């Protein structure tokens, strides 16, 4: 498979040059590297943006658009999600695609920051499904995760600090809808932190085993509760699943 990591791209190079450079460093002759880079961009449906892909992926503060364009993503996350959808549409055999984005480290002015991030998340997911080919709709599951939650109290800067519990979102045609877990208490705390009611590793275990068809206990090192996240027909096919993108 192929992995586009934004921190490994050079913003002064075109998308084709970024890909060709990595091939050249592996000993591939220059002309051959450029040809292969062009073939890859064409394969994932991004040949028409060969001069723009590096900016599309890594620009954290894109210039304002003159108006909405249904064919062009406008935010940093939307642009990365658009690329992810193109890669999946190309059917390269990828099982997992990750998109890093943030930050949510709201130590100050959390009220305005959180609202803006939610708008960006909404736009990114919308753009992903706009670009994703219809035949992949029930074969792709989207999951959000973060490395930490937030505290239950506000600090002097109008923000929150690093905490324990936090939400996760899952989307896809093969999922059961609903809320799993309970709303955290603001009075029954663990050393001032929210108490989680669903272990995030239970979510991982369920997706690993029931969607990816992977040995979750071996991957996670111990057994965690499985959650009824998947629809019945999908759950029944889980033992035959070899990839997250089926």
């Amino acid at each position: 498979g192929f992995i586009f990591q934004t921190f490994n791209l050079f913003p002064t190079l075109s998308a084709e040059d970024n890909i060709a450079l990595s091939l050249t460093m592996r000993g591939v002759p220059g002309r051959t590297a450029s040809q292969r880079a062009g073939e890859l961009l064409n394969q994932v449906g991004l040949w028409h943006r060969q001069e723009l892909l590096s900016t599309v992926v890594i620009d954290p503060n894109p210039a304002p658009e003159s108006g909405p364009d249904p064919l062009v993503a406008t935010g940093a996350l939307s642009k990365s999600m658009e690329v992810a959808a193109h890669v999946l549409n190309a059917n390269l055999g990828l099982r997992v695609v990750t998109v890093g984005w943030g930050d949510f480290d709201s130590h100050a002015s959390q009220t305005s920051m959180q609202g803006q991030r939610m708008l960006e998340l909404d736009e990114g997911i919308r753009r992903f499904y706009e670009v994703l080919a219809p035949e992949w709709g029930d074969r792709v599951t989207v999951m959000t995760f973060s490395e930490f939650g937030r505290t239950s109290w506000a600090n002097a800067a109008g923000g929150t600090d690093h905490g324990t519990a936090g939400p996760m979102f899952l989307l896809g045609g093969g999922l059961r809808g609903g809320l799993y877990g309970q709303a955290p208490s603001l009075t029954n705390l663990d050393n001032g932190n929210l108490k989680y009611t669903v272990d995030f590793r239970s979510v991982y275990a369920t997706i690993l085993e029931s969607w990816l068809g992977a040995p979750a206990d071996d991957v996670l090192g111990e057994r965690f509760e499985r959650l009824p996240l998947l629809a019945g027909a999908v759950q029944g096919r889980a033992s035959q699943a070899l990839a997250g993108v089926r």
Side-chain angles (χ1 to χ4, degrees), residues 144-166:
T144 69
F145 62 92
S146 177
E147 58 184 328
F148 49 73
R150 310 304 301 178
T151 56
S152 60
W153 67 89
N155 57 32
T160 56
D161 299 318
H162 297 180
T164 52

Side-chain angles (χ1 to χ4, degrees), residues 43-144:
Q43 190 174 11
V44 299
L46 291 171
W47 174 253
H48 64 294
R49 299 174 70 173
Q50 60 175 315
E51 299 299 328
L52 300 175
L53 180 58
S54 57
T55 301
V56 164
V57 175
I58 70 171
D59 184 3
N61 298 297
E65 301 284 343
S66 58
D69 184 339
L71 299 179
V72 178
T74 58
L77 176 62
S78 293
K79 293 173 180 178
S80 295
M81 292 293 280
E82 179 181 301
V83 172
H86 277 301
V87 171
L88 292 177
N89 289 343
N91 197 16
L92 301 174
L94 295 176
R95 298 183 177 186
V96 178
V97 176
T98 62
V99 174
W101 167 65
D103 62 278
F104 280 84
D105 207 10
S106 50
H107 289 285
S109 305
Q110 178 170 305
T111 302
S112 58
M113 179 182 182
Q114 182 77 2
Q116 180 61 35
R117 291 293 179 269
M118 289 294 99
L119 288 174
E120 293 170 7
L121 178 61
D122 179 75
E123 182 192 48
I125 293 173
R126 176 186 59 81
R127 185 57 184 158
F128 175 77
Y129 280 104
E130 285 178 347
V131 176
L132 189 69
E135 58 266 27
W136 294 102
D138 292 337
R139 301 174 63 188
V140 173
T141 291
V142 176
M143 180 178 74
T144 69

Side-chain angles (χ1 to χ4, degrees), residues 221-241:
E222 59 181 288
R223 183 168 183 82
F224 294 93
E225 178 187 2
R226 274 41 165 186
L227 304 173
L229 299 174
L230 301 183
V234 175
Q235 188 82 33
R237 296 196 305 267
S239 61
Q240 301 176 15

